[in-house]
Amino acid sequence: MSPAPPSPTVEMPSSVTALGQARSSHPGMASSACCCSPAAVQRRLPILAWLPSYSLQWLKMDFIAGLSVGLTAIPQALAYAEVAGLPPQYGLYSAFVGCFVYFFLGTSQDVTLGPTAIMSLLVSFYTFHEPAYAVLLAFLSGCIQLAMGVLHLAKQGFLLDFISCPVIKGFTSAATVTIGFGQIKNLLGLQNISRQFFLQVYHTFLRIAETRVGDAVLGLVCMLLLLVLKLMRGHMPPVHPEMPLGVRLSHGLVWSATTASQNNYRIDANQELLAIGLTNVLGSFVSAYPVTGSFGRTAVNSQSGVCTPAGGLVTGVLVLLSLDYLTSLFYYIPKSALAAVIIMAVAPLFDTKIFRTLWRVKRLDLLPLCVTFLLCFWEVQYGILAGALVSLLMLLHSAARPETKVSEGPVLVLQPASGLSFPAMEALREEILSRALEVSPPRCLVLECTHVCRIDYTVVLGLGELLQDFQKQGVTLVFVGLQVPVLRVLLSADLKGFQYFSTLEEAEKHLRQQPGAQPCNIREDAVPDHKVALLEA
């Protein structure tokens, strides 16, 4: 077995840490030194981390993996160009630039850049099947990605955190259906079918009698062959470096035809943006349309035993050779065969288990998934936006109407089950009034705030009003389990009648007017020394 390849992401050496500690005394010099330090250069050029220790064993494994991915990339690139509404050669124009760029800038040994099914679908929506618009889109998207990478927006772009998993699953499932059904016309040999999804469905079924038998048979045979290869994958032994070259190539071919799986990578997101952005910018100069990382080819690369991004060089050279010597033969590739490749490639992206899982785990999450799924058939961007808005509304509703736990013992205890912010104050006030002050006789209340980690000014005002309402009714509102930041805010507000206890037992004893407990004074100078230290921390 070959030794494990070095990780492209390197840790900061002690010298860089020392420079960071010296920043307070010489900030300008430290910043300049950090930008030019070896670690900073390696972070921008990950090739420097693994190239010095490159070995012949790695070269052999990278060559086999690159060859396997290349044999995958060529038919997929031709097929995905059809999804993008472009001539087949534009798929190959887009398939080789990323191989060379990622060799220098990539942070993962497995990831491959090139045309993908979903990216091709998005391109078809915005380029009107004009190659010039697709090339321009590649240049503009690359510029945006480069800017995001330079500005480190991948780690600070918190807006992406509001796109939930159900929204992503709804989008990918709808894209799978759109891409797959869009190839039915090519599989059956139908001509002049609209590309708009709903019209496409209507006209495909309307003209089903015009199916060309030869195209349909060829397409179904190709799909059957791919299905057989997929079944073979489950019975193939794992790859070992000692295996003959032919066996390893056969294994790679089976994986290339049957793998939409993905691995968990720990990569530098900003560096990946730089790599993808530069790929799109440079690709636009050779008539490429936008590309991104491919799940399927990345899995082929990983399963083929790749050791470093150098495997991409073999893939890129193979694509260039096909462009040089095979371009004239692309005209004779049957569209039904390409349609079979596309359908079998995107079929695993449709997650049938997600609906059953969400129904069992949390049914409300089916709402953004279904909204995204349905609207993506109209316009992809509207589906994603609508799903994100539904998820955001659900999040805001939970913040405005937090659940509360109520204990109806000798003393009424109310505990907010989550945080407390200004949208939730009115709902909490109504809950407290209905249970404590609008009953006869009025009851004392313990507000258990263990789960409340922060409050704002609106909440402080609302709590002050509640304390006044309780005083008017001749009953008491006390607080238990206040965290230090919350206690600091309430003490600073100097609320009249504010009483705080460390434990629920002490609060209950006080409200039952039993000896043994005294409320904490609201004045900060009367707070015990250890709490003063916490408040000043």
Side-chain angles (χ1 to χ4, degrees):
M1 296 297 291
S2 62
S7 175
T9 303
V10 296
E11 296 183 355
M12 300 289 285
S14 58
S15 60
V16 179
T17 305
L19 287 174
Q21 294 174 349
R23 182 172 299 176
S24 59
S25 58
H26 301 284
M29 183 173 60
S31 177
S32 176
C34 286
C35 293
C36 301
S37 65
V41 174
Q42 284 187 354
R43 196 162 53 246
R44 291 305 180 198
L45 287 175
I47 185 176
L48 300 178
W50 56 264
L51 188 60
S53 57
Y54 200 76
S55 64
L56 290 178
Q57 180 64 25
W58 290 355
L59 176 62
K60 174 184 175 182
M61 300 179 70
D62 286 343
F63 178 81
I64 296 175
L67 190 61
S68 301
V69 174
L71 295 176
T72 307
I74 293 174
Q76 284 191 350
L78 298 174
Y80 292 154
E82 164 66 23
V83 176
L86 302 173
Q89 62 268 24
Y90 282 87
L92 293 181
Y93 296 158
S94 309
F96 68 89
V97 176
C99 301
F100 300 107
V101 172
Y102 204 81
F103 171 73
F104 295 97
L105 302 181
T107 60
S108 171
Q109 64 192 35
D110 300 320
V111 171
T112 62
L113 302 182
T116 63
I118 294 179
M119 179 63 77
S120 300
L121 177 65
L122 294 175
V123 169
S124 69
F125 288 151
Y126 296 103
T127 59
F128 312 105
H129 317 304
E130 290 290 339
Y133 290 161
V135 174
L136 177 60
L137 181 61
F139 177 79
L140 295 178
S141 61
C143 291
I144 295 173
Q145 289 166 330
L146 279 176
M148 294 176 65
V150 171
L151 298 176
H152 293 264
L153 296 183
K155 296 180 180 178
Q156 300 173 1
F158 65 93
L159 291 178
L160 295 180
D161 297 336
F162 289 94
I163 301 180
S164 62
C165 181
V167 174
I168 297 175
K169 290 292 186 179
F171 161 65
T172 55
S173 299
T176 300
V177 174
T178 302
I179 295 171
F181 195 89
Q183 297 304 312
I184 296 296
K185 62 181 186 296
N186 294 328
L187 194 70
L188 302 180
L190 302 179
Q191 303 291 330
N192 301 321
I193 300 294
S194 173
R195 296 186 67 90
Q196 206 282 332
F197 179 76
F198 295 106
L199 293 177
Q200 190 176 84
V201 174
Y202 172 75
H203 287 292
T204 298
F205 285 105
L206 183 67
R207 300 171 55 185
I208 195 72
E210 302 177 13
T211 299
R212 299 173 61 179
V213 178
D215 288 344
V217 171
L218 177 61
L220 292 176
V221 169
C222 292
M223 291 182 64
L224 181 61
L225 177 61
L226 293 174
L227 182 60
V228 170
L229 290 174
K230 183 176 182 180
L231 295 176
M232 289 174 56
R233 183 187 66 181
H235 301 282
M236 293 184 65
V239 176
H240 298 289
E242 295 79 11
M243 285 184 173
L245 178 61
V247 176
R248 290 177 59 83
L249 288 177
S250 301
H251 191 282
L253 285 174
V254 172
W255 272 91
S256 69
T258 59
T259 300
S261 62
Q262 54 184 326
N263 297 326
N264 294 322
Y265 297 102
R266 298 185 63 84
I267 58 177
D268 187 340
N270 289 303
Q271 182 67 21
E272 291 295 297
L273 271 179
L274 291 175
I276 298 175
L278 186 60
T279 297
N280 284 323
V281 170
L282 296 180
S284 65
F285 295 112
V286 293
S287 300
Y289 68 85
V291 301
T292 187
S294 168
F295 287 162
R297 293 191 296 276
T298 295
V300 172
N301 206 22
S302 176
Q303 293 295 323
S304 299
V306 69
C307 291
T308 68
L313 296 180
V314 181
T315 302
V317 170
L318 197 62
V319 175
L320 286 175
L321 290 175
S322 67
L323 273 172
D324 192 16
Y325 296 105
L326 302 179
T327 306
S328 60
L329 301 178
F330 295 160
Y331 176 79
Y332 301 101
I333 298 178
K335 284 191 174 182
S336 58
L338 293 179
V341 173
I342 295 173
I343 292 174
M344 296 303 294
V346 302
L349 293 178
F350 190 90
D351 191 355
T352 56
K353 298 180 180 179
I354 187 63
F355 297 92
R356 183 170 63 254
T357 301
L358 291 181
W359 181 264
R360 184 175 65 253
V361 176
K362 188 177 182 182
R363 298 178 183 178
L364 189 60
D365 282 341
L366 285 171
L367 181 59
L369 185 145
C370 293
V371 169
T372 305
F373 180 78
L374 295 176
L375 289 184
C376 277
F377 293 121
W378 176 32
E379 288 287 348
V380 172
Q381 65 273 22
Y382 295 155
I384 297 176
L385 180 61
L389 288 177
V390 171
S391 298
L392 183 61
L393 289 176
M394 292 169 56
L395 182 63
L396 293 177
H397 181 269
S398 63
R401 297 293 183 269
E403 297 181 1
T404 55
K405 299 180 180 179
V406 180
S407 300
E408 294 279 357
V411 176
L412 182 63
V413 180
L414 191 146
Q415 180 188 43
S418 59
L420 193 58
S421 56
F422 69 91
M425 189 59 221
E426 188 60 30
L428 179 65
R429 177 183 176 85
E430 293 177 359
E431 180 84 6
I432 292 176
L433 291 178
S434 63
R435 292 184 177 275
L437 299 185
E438 295 178 356
V439 297
S440 182
R443 304 178 62 184
C444 296
L445 175 70
V446 176
L447 190 59
E448 217 285 347
C449 301
T450 303
H451 300 298
V452 179
C453 58
R454 64 179 61 88
I455 58 176
D456 51 45
Y457 182 66
T458 303
V459 175
V460 173
L461 290 180
L463 294 177
E465 294 174 358
L466 282 174
L467 288 172
Q468 295 178 7
D469 293 338
F470 272 82
Q471 289 178 355
K472 292 178 181 178
Q473 296 287 341
V475 289
T476 305
L477 169 64
V478 298
F479 296 81
V480 169
L482 290 174
Q483 300 185 25
V484 172
V486 179
L487 179 59
R488 183 190 299 116
V489 172
L490 293 176
L491 290 175
S492 302
D494 196 21
L495 299 178
K496 184 178 181 181
F498 172 65
Q499 300 182 75
Y500 161 73
F501 293 90
S502 299
T503 64
L504 181 61
E505 290 76 12
E506 292 180 358
E508 291 179 343
K509 287 181 181 180
H510 172 73
L511 293 179
R512 292 198 300 265
Q513 295 183 352
Q514 293 182 1
Q518 293 295 329
C520 294
N521 197 295
I522 64 172
R523 294 179 302 145
E524 190 168 347
D525 57 1
V527 178
D529 293 339
H530 70 281
K531 286 189 170 59
V532 173
L534 288 176
L535 292 172
E536 293 177 350

